[in-house]
Amino acid sequence: MISINNLHANVEDKQILKGLNLTINPGEVHAIMGPNGAGKSTLGNVLAGREGYEVTDGSVVFHGQDLLDLEAEERARAGLFLAFQYPVEIPGVSNLEFLKASVDAVRSQQGKEPLDSVQFLKLAREKIKAVNLDQSFLKRGVNEGFSGGEKKRNELMQMMLLEPSLCILDETDSGLDIDALQVVAEGVNAMRDPNRSFIIVTHYQRLLDYIVPDFVHVLANGKIVKSGGKELALELEEKGYGWLENGTGDA
Amino acid sequence: MPELFQHQQSELAASTVKLPWLTAFNQRGADAFRTAALPTRKTEAWKYTPLTALTRLAPQQCGQPVTYTNPLVAFARIDGLHDHRLVFVNGILDKQHSSASALAAVTLFSEANAEQQALIAQHLGHVAQQSESPNLFTDLNDAALSDGVLLHIRDHQPLLQISWLTTSEAKPFTVFARLLVVLERHAQAAIVEHYGSDLSEQNSVTNAVTEIVINDNAQLQHYRLQTMHSSAQHIGSCHVDLQRDARYHGFHAGFGSTLCRNDLVVHHNQGGSHCQLDGIYVPQHDELIDFHTCIEHRAAHCTSNEVFRGIMNDQAKAVFNGRIHIHPHAQKTLAELSNKNLLLTPGAEIFTKPELEIYADDVKCAHGATVAQLDNKAMFYLQSRGISKADAEVMLSFGFINELIEQLPDEAVRNLLRPMLATRFDRDSSLTHDIG
């Protein structure tokens, strides 16, 4: 699915990722945990192709192609999806218009015809129901005036509509109450598939009670310093990150 | 250019059939116009809007029935509004395309009874003359005035559309449009003042003056829309007189043309009045649009909020001058002004200038003018969903303007403007519509 090798990346000339290695196979769910400032969000942004994140070394191969060579929109069309920690509000652009443009773009890459408005509306209504948002959210501005939880559900709806092969959830649990967390987790679990992989970036173990990962990695000081199974998350919850950070020098 | 004006000045008075009871009014306008200083490039208010494009002023044709041949249906119809509308073509009322209900709701100056003549005489010109700076083209309109529209609202006026349309004719000609709106105490009204044309190359200039009096506690929703062909020229002004606790919400939309100038002046004459003055402009190709706005705060405890947004494409040019004048006794005034602009090409231009003059010491006044590129975060968000950079730019530009359209209280107007803007920004309007 995706293979990240020795990835180094800078943000505003500051080195954030310092040789990150990670390989994810189809169908796997990987959780990435770690302290503030470790580079967790940077990883998601670098993979999604955000401007201002400069890769200085290393490579990323996604479905056999050089991911770093693609524009952000090409990465999305190739099946990569980043659920934002802070989804952007875009007043004046209706959610429905945005969603259709997005789905049409991804479909066209797959050689499919764009959906007509009626078909799309039907599909969008179905998905918005699945994430437990009112239909009225389709005609509102993109994320405009949405609460934190509503924004995250809107992200999940986009993920359902685009059906990506690799989903990166960047601290999707931050700012969510328990009910919203369950809705998001159920949505993600429903999308788990032998051909779809997930990278779940989170601070807390809580989300992993609902979305059970196959692997847990600790990202500290720009590298993965420890990897393990789902039980590692519990250990981290108990001990914190200090014992691992101290050991980064010789990891 | 000056020769043209001199020509005007001599031709003006004799050229049209006037209303006898407005002779003094016409004369005052003619005198003021004759002695007015003509704008040059050094005239601050006309610095960026040269009048050289204006070669069509031809008052000798005003008042003469200009015939028209093109069918009106294609351009006069405005979905959702067309049931209640008044249509002027080349300055002449077209009763056939106007609705009976709209004809009953208004009074032509030429058909006014004694009482209505008194009301017209009481206000006509007086709202416009409250401005500190003389307006040459208002004077010209006064001088040339041979008829006008009075809308006198005593209680409630549902959305009424008044369209001034032009067709392409053999010789260049001028349309003088005049509208006087008087809302009595506690009255409520919504009007669409619309300037349009057929789709062919135009050879007219419209000189329009609108005066609005909003008495105590009355409320007006006013849309002033300019959707004419890019070759149709327009020089117009709109003057609003706010009495105690009066409320005015103006929305001014201009698509731009070879010359399109708008002077909007709101006078807070009594305490407690509120004005929301919004507008959009979206010129493209080599179009020019100019909004000069002025909010006169003469009374205490008034609020004004002004939001104008523009997008300039190609080689288009826009001018926005937003003046807020707070007089010495206008304490506790709250005044805000925001003007945001997007330039889509290196060749597009915007000249934006907020002008604050504050002579009271207990007021809150904020202003901001920006010329910006599109928001990077929003761009990345759209691109991260597979939308190409080019499409994302169009989508965000549309959204930047559409945000103001979405806030309009009348669905009929939203439904009119959205597809027009969508076409301009190449969007599928079925998706931007309300979907219920």
Side-chain angles (χ1 to χ4, degrees), chain B residues 330-342:
Chain B
Q331 300 294 2
K332 305 285 181 192
T333 291
L334 268 176
E336 284 184 48
L337 163 67
S338 157
N339 174 230
K340 290 186 183 172
N341 297 283
L342 283 179

Side-chain angles (χ1 to χ4, degrees), chain A residues 45 48-50 72-73 76-77 81-82 84 87-88 90-94 96-98 100-102 105 117 121 125 139 142-143 155 158 162, chain B residues 375-390 395-396 398-400 402-403 406-407 427-428 430-436:
Chain A
N45 282 317
R50 185 173 210 139
E73 62 265 34
R77 292 177 199 171
F81 182 95
L82 172 66
F84 283 55
V88 183
I90 311 178
V93 176
S94 86
L96 190 70
E97 184 191 11
F98 159 64
K100 181 158 193 310
S102 175
S117 296
L121 189 57
R125 285 191 162 144
K139 65 176 180 181
V142 176
N143 293 318
E155 295 290 289
Q158 293 165 35
L162 296 177
Chain B
D375 177 18
N376 279 335
K377 281 184 189 162
M379 279 296 294
F380 175 62
Y381 191 69
L382 296 182
Q383 286 177 270
S384 79
R385 297 301 180 251
I387 298 167
S388 73
K389 194 170 183 200
M395 205 178 246
L396 291 179
F398 174 76
F400 177 72
N402 191 44
E403 190 183 351
E406 292 299 323
Q407 294 167 2
R427 301 305 311 157
D428 177 356
S430 67
L431 293 171
T432 58
H433 254 252
D434 287 346
I435 56 165

Side-chain angles (χ1 to χ4, degrees), chain B residues 340-377:
Chain B
K340 290 186 183 172
N341 297 283
L342 283 179
L343 296 174
L344 297 186
T345 61
E349 289 182 285
I350 170 73
F351 299 92
T352 174
K353 188 169 98 178
E355 249 184 273
L356 266 56
E357 271 185 65
I358 304 175
Y359 299 103
D361 55 9
D362 186 13
V363 301
K364 263 191 190 164
C365 194
H367 69 90
T370 61
V371 182
Q373 308 298 317
L374 293 165
D375 177 18
N376 279 335
K377 281 184 189 162

Side-chain angles (χ1 to χ4, degrees), chain B residues 38-81:
Chain B
L38 303 177
T40 67
R41 297 195 76 123
K42 288 178 183 164
T43 310
E44 185 64 23
W46 291 91
K47 196 170 171 181
Y48 305 108
T49 303
L51 283 166
T52 44
L54 191 69
T55 55
R56 297 170 182 168
L57 272 176
Q60 65 274 20
Q61 291 202 17
C62 157
Q64 309 293 327
V66 179
T67 55
Y68 55 93
T69 45
N70 293 331
L72 279 184
V73 183
F75 66 90
R77 185 186 171 89
I78 294 182
D79 289 339
L81 295 175

Side-chain angles (χ1 to χ4, degrees), chain B residues 60-346:
Chain B
Q60 65 274 20
Q61 291 202 17
C62 157
Q64 309 293 327
V66 179
T67 55
Y68 55 93
T69 45
N70 293 331
L72 279 184
V73 183
F75 66 90
R77 185 186 171 89
I78 294 182
D79 289 339
L81 295 175
H82 60 277
D83 286 347
H84 196 43
R85 69 169 183 211
L86 208 62
V87 176
F88 289 82
V89 181
N90 298 339
I92 308 299
L93 177 64
D94 182 329
K95 291 193 177 178
Q96 193 196 331
H97 291 93
S98 301
S99 67
S101 60
L103 286 166
V106 306
T107 305
L108 293 182
F109 290 4
S110 56
E111 294 171 2
N113 62 29
E115 192 189 332
Q116 289 161 332
Q117 286 182 15
L119 183 72
I120 293 165
Q122 185 190 342
H123 295 295
L124 191 72
H126 293 287
V127 187
Q129 292 301 324
Q130 290 175 20
S131 280
E132 292 176 344
S133 46
N135 187 322
L136 179 72
F137 292 96
T138 304
D139 292 335
L140 176 63
N141 192 286
D142 288 356
L145 181 75
S146 59
D147 206 349
V149 179
L150 168 68
L151 183 56
H152 184 204
I153 301 139
R154 290 183 181 82
D155 40 47
H156 180 65
Q157 172 64 62
L159 194 64
L160 169 73
Q161 176 200 343
I162 305 178
S163 282
W164 275 275
L165 309 172
T166 57
T167 56
S168 182
E169 299 302 328
K171 287 182 183 172
F173 64 103
T174 309
V175 171
F176 292 100
R178 189 84 184 207
L179 174 63
L180 174 63
V181 181
V182 180
L183 278 84
E184 294 299 344
R185 295 177 62 184
H186 306 293
Q188 281 189 28
I191 56 173
V192 176
E193 180 186 343
H194 171 231
Y195 299 93
S197 72
D198 65 24
L199 298 173
S200 57
E201 190 78 12
Q202 301 290 302
N203 54 356
S204 60
V205 53
T206 296
N207 174 224
V209 175
T210 297
E211 291 175 282
I212 297 170
V213 179
I214 308 181
N215 280 300
D216 298 0
N217 250 315
Q219 181 176 346
L220 176 66
Q221 175 67 45
H222 178 214
Y223 303 94
R224 194 166 174 277
L225 315 177
Q226 295 168 320
T227 65
M228 60 274 185
H229 188 267
S230 69
S231 56
Q233 299 180 345
H234 185 106
I235 296 190
S237 61
C238 173
H239 311 262
V240 184
D241 175 341
L242 295 178
Q243 296 296 313
R244 184 164 304 281
D245 297 326
R247 275 155 293 160
Y248 171 74
H249 181 192
F251 182 80
H252 300 256
F255 283 72
S257 74
T258 50
L259 174 62
C260 187
R261 164 71 178 234
N262 300 284
D263 285 86
L264 316 175
V265 192
V266 178
H267 303 274
H268 288 272
N269 286 323
Q270 294 289 332
S273 59
H274 174 66
C275 152
Q276 175 77 43
L277 184 65
D278 297 335
I280 58 167
Y281 42 94
V282 285
Q284 60 183 9
H285 307 311
D286 56 354
E287 293 166 358
L288 162 68
I289 190 158
D290 180 339
F291 278 99
H292 266 64
T293 72
C294 179
I295 314 278
E296 296 281 358
H297 279 278
R298 290 204 176 83
H301 298 279
C302 295
T303 53
S304 67
N305 189 21
E306 184 175 352
V307 178
F308 270 74
R309 287 188 181 180
I311 299 181
M312 282 51 71
N313 204 349
D314 308 316
Q315 309 295 312
K317 179 162 98 172
V319 181
F320 178 83
N321 193 97
R323 181 164 185 253
I324 298 175
H325 183 188
I326 304 182
H327 294 249
H329 300 295
Q331 300 294 2
K332 305 285 181 192
T333 291
L334 268 176
E336 284 184 48
L337 163 67
S338 157
N339 174 230
K340 290 186 183 172
N341 297 283
L342 283 179
L343 296 174
L344 297 186
T345 61

